[in-house]
Amino acid sequence: MFKNYCITLGVRPRKFGLDMDVRWNATYLMLKHLVPYQDVFTVFINSNYGLQLLSANHWYVAGKILEVLELFYDSTVVLSCIYYPTSPLILHHILEIASHLHACESDQNLRAIVYPMKLKFLKYWQDIPLLYSYAFILDPRAKMRDFFNVLQLLAEYTGSEYNSYYAEVRTEIYKLFNKYENKFGAARYQRTAQPSNHTSKKKQAWGRIFGGSGTGVVGPFPSSDPTSSLSASAFAVCELSIYLDSDNVTDYDDDFDILLWWRDHKLTYPILSIMARDIMTVPISTVSSESCFSLTGRIIEEQRRCLLPEIVEMLTSIKDWELGERREQHSVHNQDLEDSFRNLYLDEEESGAADGT
């Protein structure tokens, strides 16, 4: 009936995948393909059942839920990858999620849903791990000044106070650099290389940190960092101080390679480049996100339901590594799920039957 109704209106008919209780990404994909058909679907349902089952308010809530899930879906895909550094990106996504939850709190239709989500969010991300802060600061496009901006925005969205945390990060990153200096001091080269100039103007995720203007940074300059263990003369030759006091790189393209930038500047910052490499290569997730939802269900079955948690974890990791070797670790499951929702057009069934398939 729905197919005939769509043909009458000149709209290509399609089916809509059902929601899966244990896979919120399926909920996102279902709404993603259903919302564009809201006008046709609403008239069809209400006219056939004689009831106002679907109203504009229902679609408004569905659209808002789609926005919330889209943000989480994109963050999950980006942060679960292993073929580029993810640790410098997590503060961007934390800021975007905090901003979205803060904006949704003023919506009466979503307030009851968003409030427990924000409590859960603060439970895990109100206290930001130092490693993620280090990674963000060692992004040559950010440094301490943009880190200060991020904390100011997070304080506005979450109601938390980050002044003491900012001071802690400033102190601890110097302590960490001193440890690398003591261990790898012999690796310092006598000559230095001039950093390359980047002129791209594509901001994207950096627009919020810059306050939307994109004209530069507004945070404090981290000169003369308060670290009692370092003398004034040490600051003059400290690689970290030189790096933090230098101008930010202005290449904001998505294909900007942080590891390549640090490799090109290893003569300028011989010790700091080693420290940046170690921090940048720490992944946010050690197992692909889809494995937590799909792969475990194929490991724990009727004949293997007595497996110890340690065994399940090992089997999941081994399977994840096998997919990683074929560079399919973060694409196969997501792509199959997206294709199953994308290619649900009703008119393809008839064409397949006509071909004898």
Side-chain angles (χ1 to χ4, degrees):
M1 291 174 59
F2 180 70
K3 175 182 177 182
N4 294 333
Y5 181 71
C6 290
I7 294 176
T8 303
L9 296 179
V11 178
R12 186 179 183 184
R14 67 163 296 149
K15 295 183 292 184
F16 304 101
L18 299 179
D19 185 20
M20 303 180 189
D21 293 341
V22 296
R23 300 178 72 176
W24 62 266
N25 49 356
T27 305
Y28 161 72
L29 293 173
M30 177 191 68
L31 292 175
K32 178 182 177 181
H33 294 97
L34 179 62
V35 168
Y37 280 76
Q38 59 178 304
D39 295 333
V40 178
F41 197 74
T42 300
V43 176
F44 173 77
I45 293 295
N46 292 337
S47 60
N48 280 276
Y49 292 92
L51 300 173
Q52 293 297 320
L53 295 178
L54 291 177
S55 64
N57 186 62
H58 291 133
W59 287 112
Y60 172 79
V61 174
K64 286 295 183 179
I65 294 176
L66 178 62
E67 291 179 8
V68 174
L69 293 181
E70 181 178 17
L71 191 61
F72 285 108
Y73 185 86
D74 293 341
S75 296
T76 301
V77 173
V78 171
L79 296 179
S80 63
C81 197
I82 61 173
Y83 304 120
Y84 51 79
T86 55
S87 54
L89 304 176
I90 191 167
L91 281 185
H92 291 281
H93 291 270
I94 290 176
L95 181 61
E96 290 294 329
I97 294 173
S99 171
H100 196 68
L101 294 177
H102 177 72
C104 291
E105 281 185 311
S106 59
D107 194 318
Q108 293 181 347
N109 295 297
L110 298 176
R111 186 176 304 163
I113 301 174
V114 172
Y115 181 73
M117 292 178 64
K118 188 172 182 178
L119 292 180
K120 180 74 72 172
F121 174 80
L122 293 176
K123 174 183 177 181
Y124 289 100
W125 297 112
Q126 185 175 19
D127 297 330
I128 304 173
L130 288 174
L131 175 67
Y132 301 152
S133 299
Y134 296 159
F136 183 85
I137 293 170
L138 291 176
D139 186 334
R141 299 167 293 181
K143 303 184 181 179
M144 289 297 299
R145 285 159 277 182
D146 287 341
F147 178 64
F148 176 84
N149 295 342
V150 169
L151 294 183
Q152 291 292 92
L153 291 171
L154 282 176
E156 177 184 349
Y157 297 143
T158 64
S160 305
E161 194 275 324
Y162 288 101
N163 291 333
S164 59
Y165 178 72
Y166 176 75
E168 178 186 3
V169 172
R170 293 175 65 186
T171 302
E172 293 298 326
I173 194 171
Y174 271 89
K175 290 181 179 180
L176 180 62
F177 176 78
N178 285 340
K179 294 180 180 179
Y180 273 83
E181 174 75 25
N182 295 333
K183 184 175 182 180
F184 300 102
R188 176 173 283 113
Y189 295 92
Q190 296 299 325
R191 62 188 182 92
T192 60
Q194 296 297 326
S196 59
N197 295 323
H198 299 274
T199 58
S200 176
K201 301 300 180 185
K202 190 175 181 182
K203 294 284 190 288
Q204 290 189 354
W206 298 86
R208 186 183 301 277
I209 300 175
F210 292 141
S213 61
T215 57
V217 296
V218 297
F221 286 78
S223 58
S224 62
D225 209 274
T227 316
S228 58
S229 60
L230 292 178
S231 61
S233 59
F235 275 114
V237 296
C238 179
E239 290 179 24
L240 182 57
S241 296
I242 296 173
Y243 165 77
L244 294 178
D245 290 336
S246 62
D247 293 334
N248 290 26
V249 172
T250 56
D251 188 343
Y252 301 99
D253 285 328
D254 291 339
D255 57 355
F256 178 78
D257 194 330
I258 299 179
L259 293 179
L260 180 61
W261 189 93
W262 278 107
R263 189 193 70 178
D264 294 341
H265 292 74
K266 65 181 180 181
L267 297 181
T268 306
Y269 309 108
I271 307 301
L272 193 59
S273 62
I274 300 175
M275 174 176 158
R277 179 197 62 191
D278 293 344
I279 293 177
M280 296 293 180
T281 52
V282 177
I284 300 300
S285 175
T286 56
V287 178
S288 59
S289 60
E290 281 298 318
S291 297
C292 300
F293 299 99
S294 304
L295 187 60
T296 307
R298 293 196 292 269
I299 292 176
I300 304 176
E301 53 187 19
E302 289 296 328
Q303 296 178 347
R304 310 176 71 181
R305 59 187 178 185
C306 295
L307 295 176
L308 296 175
E310 295 80 4
I311 303 299
V312 175
E313 182 179 359
M314 287 189 290
L315 292 175
T316 302
S317 299
I318 291 174
K319 183 63 177 179
D320 193 70
W321 296 338
E322 291 177 352
L323 294 175
E325 291 180 356
R326 300 196 298 268
R327 299 186 70 83
E328 298 174 347
Q329 188 174 24
H330 301 282
S331 60
V332 174
H333 298 298
N334 281 331
Q335 192 62 46
D336 290 344
L337 185 61
E338 290 189 15
D339 291 342
S340 65
F341 280 85
R342 185 184 299 112
N343 302 320
L344 286 176
Y345 291 100
L346 291 167
D347 52 357
E348 291 185 351
E349 294 182 352
E350 290 188 352
S351 62
D355 296 338
T357 58

